[in-house]
Amino acid sequence: MLDAHRLRVFRSVVASGSVAAAADNLGYTPSAVSQHVTALARETGLTLFERSGRGLRPTAAGFVLAEQADAVLARLGEAEAVVADLRAGRTGAMSLAYFPSVGAAWLPHVVRRLTGEFPGVRLDLALREFLPDDPAQRVDVQVAVERPGFDPGSGFAAHHLLDDPYVAVLQDDHPLAVRDEVELAELAGERWVDNDAYDGWCRRNLIEACSAAGFSPPFHVEAHDYPTALSFVAAGIGLTVLPELGAIQLPAGLRAVPIVRPTPVRTILAVVRDAVAVSPPVLAALDALRAVARPVVSAAPG
């Protein structure tokens, strides 16, 4: 395989007409230039120059190679520009996965920043409830709910974003709606609307908290998402218990009341692939996620 650096030196000698002039243009010694040209001739098995007075003149083979070198070096320059753009985050792609309540509350702000700062980068967004066990199926950045102390495994790092406490969402005229907080056990006799279609950590976390309070959640209606469950509560069907992040935008007539003794809390993490961890778009995505999580933290009870 031809050495690109030797081709550059050779092309400079062709353009300059002498080793000394090429050395001056390149900032090399004449000896170094001669060594590169000799090595290229040996590498190709061609006679590339012949003497012409005090200078050098390319042979017929040298002229052909110089023409080809122009094309090769131009393409190499284009490739180097692409590499520079990729390194600076001016082009390329980044994949990001999220779960529904984060998608509604956080992703518009995150995507607006990324598309503003990196207009040439394609964002591949995916809605995922769980972090895949197979590393090959994971994206560059995934916002996920996991247990505290979660280990993402080799090749990935977990960045804490938010500890999200659960709240009870009630109609405004419910007797408990005027309270600043409500003990979880006080909800045991209420009609509950479920809001999770998956047997994931969010639901298991709630069931464990209820068990610690001495009862099992009395689900009377099962809904598959937060908006549907909230609509059922607004219709007077019952109450629902969900993370505070899912209760940021409530329908009219509803109120979210913090739950205590115990307070179920889910941990939200950003799981980042090590291979892209220092790329500008990923660093900006992490910074944007931390920024949108911060107001919720400051508004959290206690």
Side-chain angles (χ1 to χ4, degrees), residues 82 85-86 89-94 118-124 281:
V82 169
D85 286 342
L86 288 169
R90 292 187 291 267
T91 189
M94 190 191 84
F118 307 99
V121 174
R122 187 184 75 248
L123 289 179
D124 297 327

Side-chain angles (χ1 to χ4, degrees), residues 75-91:
R75 285 292 296 125
L76 188 58
E78 293 173 5
E80 289 172 343
V82 169
V83 169
D85 286 342
L86 288 169
R87 188 181 296 118
R90 292 187 291 267
T91 189

Side-chain angles (χ1 to χ4, degrees), residues 24-294:
D24 187 57
N25 291 333
L26 295 172
Y28 293 170
T29 65
S31 175
V33 172
S34 293
Q35 289 175 16
H36 282 299
V37 172
T38 299
L40 182 63
R42 184 170 57 249
E43 189 176 41
T44 59
L46 299 171
T47 300
L48 300 175
F49 292 101
E50 58 187 4
R51 287 287 175 186
S52 177
R54 293 186 177 182
L56 294 176
R57 182 176 63 189
T59 63
F63 274 118
V64 172
L65 183 59
E67 292 177 356
Q68 292 300 312
D70 285 340
V72 169
L73 294 175
R75 285 292 296 125
L76 188 58
E78 293 173 5
E80 289 172 343
V82 169
V83 169
D85 286 342
L86 288 169
R87 188 181 296 118
R90 292 187 291 267
T91 189
M94 190 191 84
S95 54
L96 191 156
Y98 59 93
F99 55 91
S101 54
V102 159
W106 293 357
L107 261 292
H109 306 283
V110 175
V111 171
R112 180 175 60 189
R113 174 171 172 180
L114 292 176
T115 55
E117 293 185 15
F118 307 99
V121 174
R122 187 184 75 248
L123 289 179
D124 297 327
L125 303 180
L127 184 63
R128 285 186 176 179
E129 290 284 348
F130 302 110
L131 182 71
D133 292 329
D134 182 358
Q137 296 180 6
R138 295 183 184 180
V139 296
D140 295 332
V141 180
Q142 179 162 351
V143 184
V145 174
E146 295 291 345
R147 290 178 177 271
F150 167 73
D151 181 1
S154 177
F156 294 86
H159 301 263
H160 179 269
L161 297 175
L162 176 68
D163 290 323
D164 193 16
Y166 286 52
V167 296
V169 179
L170 316 150
Q171 286 189 311
D172 282 343
D173 59 359
H174 192 286
L176 297 176
V178 298
R179 302 264 293 273
D180 292 331
E181 60 185 30
V182 59
E183 294 190 16
L184 187 55
E186 295 181 79
L187 304 178
E190 299 287 336
R191 294 176 61 88
W192 283 44
V193 177
D194 193 10
N195 52 55
D196 195 343
Y198 301 91
D199 186 23
W201 169 235
C202 289
R203 174 183 281 181
R204 296 198 305 271
N205 189 25
L206 175 59
I207 291 174
E208 288 179 8
C210 290
S211 296
F215 71 100
S216 179
F219 294 124
H220 289 267
V221 176
E222 289 194 7
H224 290 175
D225 55 72
Y226 293 167
T228 302
L230 294 173
S231 295
F232 287 166
V233 176
I237 294 171
L239 63 81
T240 194
V241 176
L242 73 170
E244 186 180 34
L245 188 60
I248 289 179
Q249 295 181 332
L250 293 177
L254 300 185
R255 181 169 184 267
V257 181
I259 293 173
V260 296
R261 287 181 289 279
T263 300
V265 177
R266 68 176 181 178
T267 297
I268 301 178
L269 307 171
V271 179
V272 179
R273 187 181 297 276
D274 289 347
V276 297
V278 297
S279 69
V282 169
L283 291 175
L286 271 178
D287 187 61
L289 286 167
R290 292 188 178 108
V292 292
R294 200 171 299 124

Side-chain angles (χ1 to χ4, degrees), residues 8-22:
R8 284 195 177 97
V9 174
F10 162 70
R11 192 64 188 85
S12 181
V13 175
V14 172
S16 302
S18 72
V19 168

